[in-house]
Amino acid sequence: MAVTSSDTHFLDIPDVVLTIIFSLVADTRTRNAMSLVCLKWHLLERSTRKSLTLRGNVRDLFLLPTCFRAVTDLDLSLLSPWGHPLLDSFPNPLLLAQFLRHAFPSVVSLTVYVRNPSTLHLLAPQWPDLRHIKLIRWHQRLPTLPLGIEFVALFEHCRMLSSLDVSHFHCWTEDLPPAIQAYPMLAASLSQLNILKHSSVEGFKSHELLAITASCPNLRELLATCIFDHRFVGFVSDETLLALASNCPSLSLLHLVDATSLSNVRPDLNDDGYTSEDASISRSILCDVFAGLPLLEVLVLDVCHNVRDAWPALELLNSKCPRLKSLKLGQFHGICSGVDSRPDGIALCHGLESLSIKNSADLTDNSLEAISLGCPKLSKFEVLGCKKISAKGIRKLTHVLRNTLVDVKISSCKNLNVVSLLQTMEPIRDRIERLHIDCVWKNADNSVKQTASSNGETRLKKKNKSRDNSFCSRTWSKLQHLSLWIAVGDCSGERRPCTGSLGLRYLARYPSLSRMLLDCSGVIGYGLTAPPGYPDLSLWERFFLYGIENLNLNELNYWPAQDMDVNQRSLFLPAAALLAQCGSLRKLFIHGTANEHFMMFLLRIPTLRDVQLREDYYPAPENDMCTEMRAESCRRFEDALKSINRHIPD
Amino acid sequence: MGYNLLEALNVQIVGSGDRYLVLAHGLGTDQSVWQRILPLFTPSYRIILYDLVCAGSVNPDYFDFTRYTTLDPYVDDLLNILKSLGVDSCAYVGHSVSAMIGILASIRRPQLFSKLILIGASPRFLNDEDYHGGFEQGEIEKVFSAMEANYEAWVNGFAPLAVGADVPTAVREFSRTLFNMRPDISLFVSRTVFNSDLRGVLGLVRVPCCVIQTARDVSVPASVAEYLRSHLGGRTTVEILRTEGHLPHLTVPALLSQVLRRALSR
């Protein structure tokens, strides 16, 4: 038997090489395991950990570990209690801010929840070399603050900033332009700006956009919400677009999204798929805009108002923006006729790798065919709200693109139902990695699940390794991420959801399903205040969550249903009770509130180690009198979670 | 007691004014139910808010099952809070069970309360021979069996799933709030509340009262408001809100605030 003469061990590898190997490992749990092997590995792991999210109660900040000095990307936004002003509860906040700096001297990228300006006044001076910052606030901006004061606090101390993300930061649109204009050197070196505001329904007005872009000529990435409806002051017109292109010619990524697109409501279109108003954008101007942005690689124009006969501009896109790889268009019509199976319009953009078409009223199966022939590199394809396409067209597309497509999303297309959709996925079943479909059962030969009626919707997203389809028996071997939209019907009178439930227990047949995002926030109802004859949300909780204990979930993000009357998204008894039955949960994040009695139910889960209530919707409930926001309740719960009496098996 | 009462029951004082106003919530809710009413009164009153010991927002460890067997210990808590805060005189607004607590408190300390405002109040929930409290025996039994089922499940490690919608329609709206607490506490407190009968002591109240009732609160019939008016010992008025439901401070805060303001000024 041959024996290797040199018993080379992993640790004989030179340190330099080991360091590189370690730095390539991204998964946190793996890294934690690596750091336990021996002292050398511990030191190596710590010295190569670049990214860290701090969890834990801010009150314990003095226990902060100081071994992570190599961290360059720090996330402070998830400290408990979530959403509270960061250092306000301390008598000497400056000391703690300095301690943070001492623990993390190399930070160049920061994510932080800014409840009020004091946080920035304390933290910004600690890291003057900051390059990237993401500000988060779901609570309302205090109306008494002077305009732009928070941005000024930031810009004053962090002059090297090149990337600013306020997409989840509630502030007024008027806050940013004056601050940007007050720091021209910083503005001139800004290369990434994300002002696509998810945290409110306001869009930037045209003059604000132009003021910002005029000060930031070197922007390479810009994402912004704006107003395309010409009936509103400050709407985006042809002039705006032209000026924007000329202000920032180096843009490689541009997202312009109408503010109404971000509200979670399904589009309200007339029967033909057109909005009542057209956008004030002419296609010839679009041609000029594209000509002005030759470096464009990613373009999103989610207009929400009709842009008709767009094909000439789109054909030009191919030659004017040769680097374009990813395109999303909302409410563009006439983008591709597909007549005579010849590629035209958007199908001429043969370099596209990702294409998303939303609410295109005249998109037909011929268009889909033309696109599939004209864009052979497409790996990601999305189609939403297109009423004229059918399963035949999708099938053609998946067939032609069967060697490249890995990510498909099909939603709100009324001619499609689940059964036919799944059949259209046949050609790519073995290679598709991410899939979203709407579970619409009408016109389908339904033999599997029944859904009851309610006027809401739920979105169930999950991660999965393999899916054994109940209609056909082949496996989806590469599917990692599956997202389903399930309409739960219509709730009037005394009808209760049927006890069969959402079918969560069917998911038990996928034992490797470990992470789930269950978003029931589309369901609107009444919590405590239901008028007679209206079912309350606690009844619906029983329906949504029944069966969840049969799944082997490690991690769950749950968005409870909403009582919009009182702006409450809360757990009631059935939710707390059913969630507490999920014996394998390690992490649970509830995007809403829960009272202390119900939070304590969760301690029954033996493996639970990380729980947080994150009211990350706008407007986040303000009032500290609300039980769920109380720092004391949070502290008691977290102490109980961490207590040594709880023996966590792993 | 062994704990600080003011902290345990989350006592807060907000607002500025020279008069005190206590806002006391009902079962299954907590002081946050008043948040839409508050802004209208903070300019003119120092408002005292607290949570009942059974509220979902209070550490359940503080609920002493041997102590809170009747409504009197709840009255003790209220009076102790006011004493700790040094309050000599205040107006009191109580919803549902807190209305009962307010009545008992003012009998014990007549000088303390300048006015009692009782929202969704009833001296006794169970119907009697000549008295219509709103709940039939059979309906109460359904409520209790739902609570008992929850308790059994909870104690044995199963999921308590009975909710307000599982009780008879007539008493659903009131009962819904009862399920917003831990199952053992809900069961215990519900028994306390349904066993209470204040009819005999109403006459001992000397303080002026205002009884606020919604036009249609199925489990607190209109006749109860009239009963209170005729049996409460002090000068009593009745205001009917032109709306439905058991939680007007949540559903119609503006309307309720108007009525409250009127009642407080008289």
Side-chain angles (χ1 to χ4, degrees):
Chain A
M1 190 162 70
V3 175
T4 46
S5 51
S6 62
D7 288 298
T8 325
H9 193 269
F10 189 74
L11 281 178
D12 293 335
I13 300 178
D15 279 1
V16 176
V17 180
L18 267 184
T19 310
I20 296 178
I21 296 174
F22 273 50
S23 64
L24 293 172
V25 176
D27 178 54
T28 309
R29 287 196 75 188
T30 314
R31 281 186 156 266
N32 290 343
M34 281 153 63
S35 67
L36 292 173
V37 168
C38 60
L39 186 57
K40 177 163 177 176
W41 280 42
H42 177 91
L43 292 171
L44 265 176
E45 193 282 312
R46 295 298 190 241
S47 68
T48 52
R49 174 108 53 141
K50 294 293 181 207
S51 162
L52 193 67
T53 301
L54 273 191
R55 282 284 294 117
N57 199 304
V58 72
R59 168 194 55 118
D60 297 328
L61 211 52
F62 64 94
L63 293 172
L64 200 56
T66 49
C67 54
F68 291 102
R69 302 178 65 76
V71 163
T72 55
D73 173 9
L74 181 64
D75 185 340
L76 296 174
S77 66
L78 297 177
L79 283 170
S80 280
W82 185 92
H84 277 223
L86 189 56
L87 299 169
D88 275 12
S89 52
F90 293 96
N92 194 345
L94 186 57
L95 197 60
L96 278 146
Q98 287 167 340
F99 186 52
L100 274 171
R101 158 78 201 206
H102 172 72
F104 303 110
S106 321
V107 166
V108 292
S109 164
L110 184 66
T111 305
V112 64
Y113 199 97
V114 178
R115 182 75 179 261
N116 59 42
S118 67
T119 310
L120 282 174
H121 282 122
L122 285 167
L123 290 182
Q126 307 304 328
W127 290 290
D129 297 335
L130 212 54
R131 292 268 194 280
H132 165 80
I133 190 162
K134 176 170 172 138
L135 302 177
I136 303 183
R137 178 163 64 209
W138 295 95
H139 291 85
Q140 287 183 293
R141 173 207 193 276
L142 292 168
T144 49
L145 290 179
L147 275 186
I149 189 175
E150 288 163 321
F151 294 117
V152 166
L154 179 62
F155 295 160
E156 180 62 34
H157 294 106
C158 302
R159 304 288 181 120
M160 314 265 295
L161 210 57
S162 69
S163 164
L164 174 63
D165 182 339
V166 290
S167 56
H168 294 137
F169 182 66
H170 178 248
C171 62
W172 297 338
T173 57
E174 301 94 323
D175 278 316
L176 192 54
I180 291 252
Q181 286 167 329
Y183 291 88
M185 297 223 351
L186 190 150
S189 58
L190 258 190
S191 71
Q192 292 164 313
L193 182 61
N194 187 343
I195 51 179
L196 198 100
K197 296 168 83 46
H198 290 93
S199 58
S200 74
V201 282
E202 282 179 3
F204 282 84
K205 299 191 179 52
S206 165
H207 69 269
E208 287 164 342
L209 274 179
L210 293 182
I212 293 172
T213 50
S215 302
C216 306
N218 295 312
L219 273 185
R220 300 197 47 95
E221 297 188 1
L222 173 66
L223 303 92
T225 32
C226 41
I227 309 162
F228 284 100
D229 189 338
H230 65 94
R231 296 169 296 181
F232 284 78
V233 170
F235 73 92
V236 168
S237 64
D238 286 340
E239 287 74 37
T240 320
L241 286 178
L242 275 178
L244 207 143
S246 99
N247 283 345
C248 303
S250 322
L251 280 177
S252 67
L253 184 146
L254 176 63
H255 287 218
L256 289 176
V257 177
D258 190 285
T260 58
S261 171
L262 294 172
S263 60
N264 209 7
V265 182
R266 296 229 141 187
D268 176 31
L269 306 167
N270 70 14
D271 285 335
D272 299 327
Y274 293 92
T275 53
S276 53
E277 298 291 327
D278 286 1
S280 294
I281 301 179
S282 66
R283 57 195 202 184
S284 58
I285 295 296
L286 272 179
C287 297
D288 293 337
V289 169
F290 296 153
L293 298 173
L295 300 177
L296 215 49
E297 294 173 33
V298 176
L299 177 63
V300 169
L301 287 174
D302 192 352
V303 176
C304 297
H305 298 278
N306 306 320
V307 178
R308 299 182 191 253
D309 300 322
W311 56 268
L314 296 173
E315 286 181 0
L316 217 56
L317 202 51
N318 185 43
S319 52
K320 297 296 179 188
C321 304
R323 299 192 192 185
L324 192 69
K325 297 211 174 34
S326 167
L327 180 63
K328 174 170 174 169
L329 299 172
Q331 211 72 41
F332 274 61
H333 312 291
I335 62 177
C336 176
S337 64
V339 155
D340 302 333
S341 307
R342 258 183 323 147
D344 69 312
I346 203 173
L348 287 181
C349 298
H350 48 251
L352 279 184
E353 294 172 16
S354 162
L355 177 61
S356 172
I357 304 173
K358 183 173 148 185
N359 299 340
S360 184
D362 52 7
L363 193 73
T364 59
D365 288 346
N366 286 337
S367 321
L368 289 180
E369 185 179 350
I371 290 172
S372 65
L373 292 171
C375 306
K377 295 191 194 167
L378 270 189
S379 65
K380 175 172 167 175
F381 182 70
E382 287 186 355
V383 64
L384 297 86
C386 296
K387 304 191 177 207
K388 288 201 171 159
I389 58 176
S390 74
K392 180 158 152 284
I394 307 264
R395 174 82 196 221
K396 211 59 199 280
L397 187 132
T398 56
H399 176 74
V400 173
L401 294 171
R402 63 189 175 280
N403 293 324
T404 52
L405 270 185
V406 290
D407 181 345
V408 175
K409 174 172 170 170
I410 304 181
S411 180
S412 307
C413 297
K414 69 177 206 224
N415 291 332
L416 303 171
N417 63 53
V418 170
V419 179
S420 57
L421 259 182
L422 289 171
Q423 286 163 352
T424 64
M425 295 294 128
E426 185 76 43
I428 48 175
R429 195 191 304 278
D430 310 354
R431 48 177 298 120
I432 190 164
E433 292 169 22
R434 297 175 70 99
L435 175 64
H436 170 99
I437 51 179
D438 287 358
C439 290
V440 175
W441 298 91
K442 71 177 199 298
N443 308 327
D445 176 15
N446 176 11
S447 54
V448 183
K449 309 177 205 174
Q450 290 292 336
T451 50
S453 296
S454 123
N455 66 350
E457 54 218 41
T458 66
R459 201 169 50 203
L460 170 70
K461 290 192 231 167
K462 49 187 182 154
K463 211 168 180 182
N464 198 343
K465 291 267 172 63
S466 81
R467 184 180 188 275
D468 198 359
N469 196 312
S470 34
F471 312 104
C472 350
S473 55
R474 290 180 47 199
T475 54
W476 304 57
S477 47
K478 295 259 170 61
L479 192 64
Q480 285 178 14
H481 189 117
L482 174 66
S483 167
L484 304 172
W485 181 88
I486 301 170
V488 200
D490 132 49
C491 110
S492 49
E494 284 287 317
R495 251 184 314 162
R496 291 161 169 237
C498 66
T499 51
S501 91
L502 203 53
L504 280 181
R505 66 179 182 279
Y506 290 113
L507 297 175
R509 63 173 87 162
Y510 309 123
S512 43
L513 180 62
S514 62
R515 286 180 61 202
M516 173 140 88
L517 292 89
L518 180 55
D519 184 349
C520 303
S521 61
V523 179
I524 315 287
Y526 296 97
L528 293 177
T529 62
Y534 285 80
D536 57 54
L537 292 177
S538 54
L539 196 62
W540 285 99
E541 279 183 348
R542 223 164 47 187
F543 173 69
F544 299 140
L545 295 175
Y546 194 78
I548 200 167
E549 68 274 14
N550 297 320
L551 309 179
N552 279 337
L553 292 178
N554 279 350
E555 186 176 326
L556 176 65
N557 272 276
Y558 175 59
W559 283 260
Q562 296 187 56
D563 183 338
M564 292 192 86
D565 265 8
V566 294
N567 188 27
Q568 186 187 38
R569 305 181 188 209
S570 189
L571 287 195
F572 296 103
L573 180 68
L578 288 168
L579 289 176
Q581 303 282 305
C582 292
S584 54
L585 263 188
R586 290 173 59 91
K587 298 186 181 212
L588 173 62
F589 303 113
I590 298 165
H591 299 263
T593 56
N595 72 30
E596 188 164 345
H597 284 200
F598 293 156
M599 287 298 282
M600 292 306 191
F601 277 40
L602 300 173
L603 296 174
R604 290 194 170 184
I605 306 173
T607 47
L608 197 61
R609 18 181 26 156
D610 192 1
V611 182
Q612 200 170 40
L613 295 174
R614 297 176 182 164
E615 298 92 22
D616 48 7
Y617 44 90
Y618 179 76
E622 199 63 48
N623 209 319
D624 276 354
M625 261 170 262
C626 258
T627 166
E628 304 91 358
M629 255 68 61
R630 289 209 191 106
E632 272 309 301
S633 300
C634 180
R635 184 192 60 78
R636 269 193 293 269
F637 176 74
E638 290 190 349
D639 282 349
L641 196 61
K642 280 189 303 213
S643 93
I644 50 176
N645 290 337
R646 305 185 66 225
H647 175 64
I648 297 178
D650 56 1
Chain B
M1 221 165 290
Y3 57 85
N4 180 329
L5 186 67
L6 297 180
E7 269 177 28
L9 299 185
N10 300 308
V11 177
Q12 314 243 7
I13 309 186
V14 294
S16 52
D18 47 6
R19 294 162 294 173
Y20 281 109
L21 174 64
V22 177
L23 295 180
H25 69 86
L27 284 179
T29 55
D30 58 75
Q31 58 181 269
S32 63
V33 288
W34 299 109
Q35 56 183 309
R36 293 168 135 199
I37 304 277
L38 267 188
L40 299 159
F41 292 91
T42 40
S44 12
Y45 292 89
R46 304 236 323 133
I47 304 180
I48 299 169
L49 295 131
Y50 78 107
D51 292 338
L52 293 175
V53 69
C54 54
S57 56
V58 171
N59 186 349
D61 293 343
Y62 293 147
F63 191 86
D64 183 345
F65 288 84
T66 57
R67 183 171 166 230
Y68 291 97
T69 48
T70 63
L71 288 182
D72 290 310
Y74 293 91
V75 179
D76 291 335
D77 282 346
L78 171 64
L79 294 177
N80 284 332
I81 288 173
L82 292 175
K83 187 159 131 203
S84 304
L85 295 176
V87 174
D88 297 321
S89 165
C90 62
Y92 178 91
V93 179
H95 174 249
S96 174
V97 74
S98 280
M100 288 175 152
I101 292 170
I103 287 173
L104 290 173
S106 89
I107 293 173
R108 260 206 249 168
R109 301 273 310 281
Q111 312 304 325
L112 180 50
F113 299 99
S114 59
K115 180 102 190 209
L116 286 182
I117 301 182
L118 312 170
I119 307 178
S122 175
R124 174 182 153 117
F125 291 103
L126 190 53
N127 291 342
D128 200 358
E129 268 174 29
D130 297 323
Y131 171 77
H132 187 48
F135 285 74
E136 280 298 334
Q137 186 65 36
E139 286 163 348
I140 295 213
E141 266 156 35
K142 291 261 168 50
V143 174
F144 278 117
S145 52
M147 306 230 114
E148 274 153 17
N150 276 354
Y151 177 70
E152 286 299 320
W154 183 74
V155 154
N156 290 317
F158 299 119
L161 291 179
V163 290
D166 298 316
V167 310
T169 322
V171 296
R172 189 167 295 169
E173 230 220 318
F174 174 88
S175 316
R176 193 178 287 124
T177 54
L178 296 176
F179 292 86
N180 219 19
M181 302 175 268
R182 205 171 71 180
D184 54 344
I185 296 178
S186 307
L187 180 59
F188 196 82
V189 170
S190 305
R191 285 201 182 121
T192 309
V193 166
F194 285 113
N195 287 336
S196 299
D197 188 345
L198 262 53
R199 290 177 298 170
V201 301
L202 290 178
L204 298 175
V205 173
R206 292 280 169 251
V207 168
C209 296
C210 176
V211 174
I212 300 181
Q213 189 68 9
T214 55
R216 201 174 116 87
D217 181 348
V218 188
S219 39
V220 186
S223 55
V224 165
E226 185 45 42
Y227 187 94
L228 284 169
R229 197 191 60 73
S230 48
H231 288 78
L232 277 168
R235 173 175 55 87
T236 304
T237 52
V238 172
E239 295 265 8
I240 303 287
L241 293 175
R242 284 187 310 278
T243 184
E244 307 189 341
H246 189 60
L247 297 158
H249 37 320
L250 276 186
T251 48
V252 288
L255 181 58
L256 179 67
S257 299
Q258 273 176 2
V259 174
L260 278 180
R261 204 194 294 279
R262 239 188 354 250
L264 285 169
S265 61
R266 294 192 187 142

